[in-house]
Amino acid sequence: MNLFRIRPAILIVLLLSAISFLPACKKEKMLNSGGSLKFSVDTLTFDTVFTAMGSFTVDVRIVNTQNQKINISSVRLEKGDTSFFHLNIDGKPGNSSTNIEVAPNDSFHVFATVKIDPRNQNNPFVIEDRLIATLNGKDFSIPVIAYGQDANYIVGEELQTQTWNDTKPYVIIHSAAVDTDQVLTIPAGCRVYMHGDSRLYVFKGASLKVLGTKTDSVVFQGDRLDRDYFGYEGYPGEWGGIYFTKYSVKNEIHYAVLKNCGSNTGAGLPSAIQLEPDLLVGDSFQLTITHSRIENSIGYGILSFKGSLKAENCLINACGAQALAIVQGGDYEINNCDFVVFNSDKINHLKEPALAILNYFDVGNNQYVADDLNAVLRNCVIWGSLEDEAFFDKVDKYKYNLTLENCVLRKKEAIPDYVIQKNCLINQDPKFVDQNNWDFHLQVGSPLINAGTSIAISDDLDGKPRKGVPDIGCYEAD
C-alpha cells in the first residue's frame, strides 16, 4: 500500500481538522461611526510654580473604550505650532498627528512639554491650550494649562489667616475662599489677577481686609495680560467678583480698583461685589468700602441682599446692570459716591437704571422675600444715559426708611412720597470732564460744586482735601 496515496475526501477531512486547531486569524472590524475616547486626566496641568527657566513634561493616555479597533483621524493642539506647548504623540514628535489606529480597549501616550521663562512679564499668568482628538468626525478634548510667570498661584484653595505681600502678584484660579473664622489681609500695592472661572469668597465668620493707600492701591483684574487679544482694552466679564456670604464680618476695602469683572461664574449673581444677608447683630457694617473704583462689570457693581454697607468716596461706573442694587432691605450709609452708567460698545445700558433700592426681592410667581430697609445716601451722584436712572419700590409689610440728602439724580418719573428728599438736584447735568472716557471729575461751573452737605469726610477719591462746603460726588473740584 502506498502511504502517500490518500483519497481526496479523506484529505479534505484532515485539512479541516488541522485548521480547527490553528489560532483564529480573522481580521478585526474597524469602528467607522460613533464611539468615544477617554483621557486619563481631565486637565493636562503643569502645576509647578516656576522660579527659574526650565522645561517640564507631563503625559496623558488617550484610551479606546470600544471593543473594536478605531482610527483616530487627528490628535493636535488647538493653537498648533504657535502654542507654548510641544507634543510627542504615540512616539512621534510634533503638535499634530493623523490616522492613529488603536486596538480595542487599548491606549497610547501623548507627552507634552513646555519651556517658560517665568521672568518674562509678557507671558500670560496662565498659559492655556487644548489637546484635541477626533474620532469619526467628533472632537474630544481636555485643557492644557501651565503657569507663565513667577507669581503666587492660588488654585481652588480655602485660605487660612494670612497677610499677602506686594513682591509678587497673586493669581487665583478656580476661585478661592477666606475660610470660616479666618482673616485675609491684602496690603497696599498688591496685585490680584483672577482667572476667568474665579471669584473670591468670604465665608462665615471670615473677614477680608483690603488695605490700599492713596499712593498704592490694590488692583483686582482678570489675568489676561495679552491686551492685544482684547484690542488693548479691558472687557467686562473677564472674571467673577468678590462674594461676601452670610455671617462674614468686618470686611474692609480701601483704595482698591475692581475692573473688568462681573461674569456669571460660581455661586451668586453676576456682580463685582455681592453681599448676602447680614445676619449678625452688631455695631459694625458687614462691608466698609472707601476710596475705591468698580468699573466695567458685565453685571452689577454692588449687589446687596439685606446686607449692611458703608461706602464713601467710591466711583461705580460702566455696569451692565445696576451700579448699586439694594434688595430685600438691610442697612446702608453711603456718602459722596458716584453711580454712573452710560451706554457703550461694551455695556448695554438701554433698560436697567444705575440705582435700585427695594425692601423686597421678587422670587417669581407673585412671591417675594422682604425685610426692613434703613438707608441714607448723602452727596451722591445717580446719573447715566437713561431718562430715569433710579428705581425705588417697597412692600408695605416692612419698613422702608430711605433718605436722599444733597444728591443729584437723573429721574423722569416722580420720586415716591415714601422716599425722604433733602436738597436734591433733579435732572441737573453734573458736567463731567469727559464721561465717554470715564473721567467724572467736575468741570468749572458744575452745579455739584459746593452743593453738598457737610459730613465728616476729609478728602475725596483722589485724596484731595474737602474744605468748606463739600461738592456732591466722589471728586472735589479744584
Side-chain angles (χ1 to χ4, degrees), residues 25-34 64 66-71 101-105 135-136:
C25 296
K26 70 176 181 178
K27 186 177 180 180
E28 291 178 344
K29 185 177 179 181
M30 183 75 71
L31 181 69
N32 292 318
S33 65
N64 174 13
Q66 283 71 224
N67 293 322
Q68 292 177 259
K69 185 167 66 171
I70 61 173
N71 180 281
E101 291 193 358
V102 188
N105 300 303
L135 173 64
N136 294 328

Side-chain angles (χ1 to χ4, degrees), residues 67 97 215 221 257-258:
N67 293 322
S97 185
T215 57
Q221 63 182 326
V257 178
L258 285 74

Side-chain angles (χ1 to χ4, degrees), residues 115-294:
K115 189 174 184 180
I116 295 175
D117 181 356
R119 299 158 297 185
N120 185 350
Q121 295 186 0
N122 291 322
N123 286 342
F125 283 110
V126 180
I127 294 171
E128 296 178 287
D129 207 334
R130 295 196 74 82
L131 176 64
I132 304 171
T134 303
L135 173 64
N136 294 328
K138 183 177 180 180
D139 289 343
F140 300 84
S141 67
I142 57 171
V144 186
I145 296 175
Y147 304 148
Q149 286 192 41
D150 184 17
N152 299 293
Y153 288 90
I154 297 171
V155 184
E157 294 182 33
E158 294 184 359
L159 304 171
Q160 305 305 299
T161 294
Q162 58 188 273
T163 299
W164 289 357
N165 60 68
D166 62 354
T167 57
K168 292 194 296 186
Y170 286 78
V171 182
I172 294 179
I173 304 170
H174 306 327
S175 294
V178 186
D179 204 1
T180 303
D181 298 327
Q182 305 301 303
V183 179
L184 171 61
T185 302
I186 303 179
C190 195
R191 298 293 181 264
V192 184
Y193 294 90
M194 309 287 292
H195 199 51
D197 63 354
S198 296
R199 289 194 188 192
L200 178 59
Y201 297 89
V202 185
F203 283 171
K204 178 180 178 181
S207 297
L208 174 66
K209 309 287 187 183
V210 180
L211 306 179
T213 64
K214 173 184 173 182
T215 57
D216 224 347
S217 59
V218 174
V219 178
F220 293 83
Q221 63 182 326
D223 64 0
R224 291 296 300 263
L225 300 183
D226 48 342
R227 287 291 106 192
D228 56 331
Y229 178 84
F230 294 112
Y232 299 98
E233 297 178 302
Y235 267 70
E238 293 181 23
W239 60 285
I242 302 177
Y243 188 113
F244 297 94
T245 66
K246 300 175 183 178
Y247 298 107
S248 65
V249 296
K250 298 181 179 179
N251 299 288
E252 299 176 44
I253 299 176
H254 306 289
Y255 286 102
V257 178
L258 285 74
K259 59 183 180 179
N260 308 327
C261 50
S263 69
N264 189 19
T265 185
L269 295 175
S271 54
I273 291 177
Q274 181 169 331
L275 293 168
E276 286 296 286
D278 183 1
L279 300 181
L280 295 174
V281 178
D283 297 329
S284 62
F285 287 93
Q286 184 181 13
L287 171 63
T288 298
I289 179 170
T290 70
H291 299 91
S292 295
R293 290 188 290 120
I294 297 173

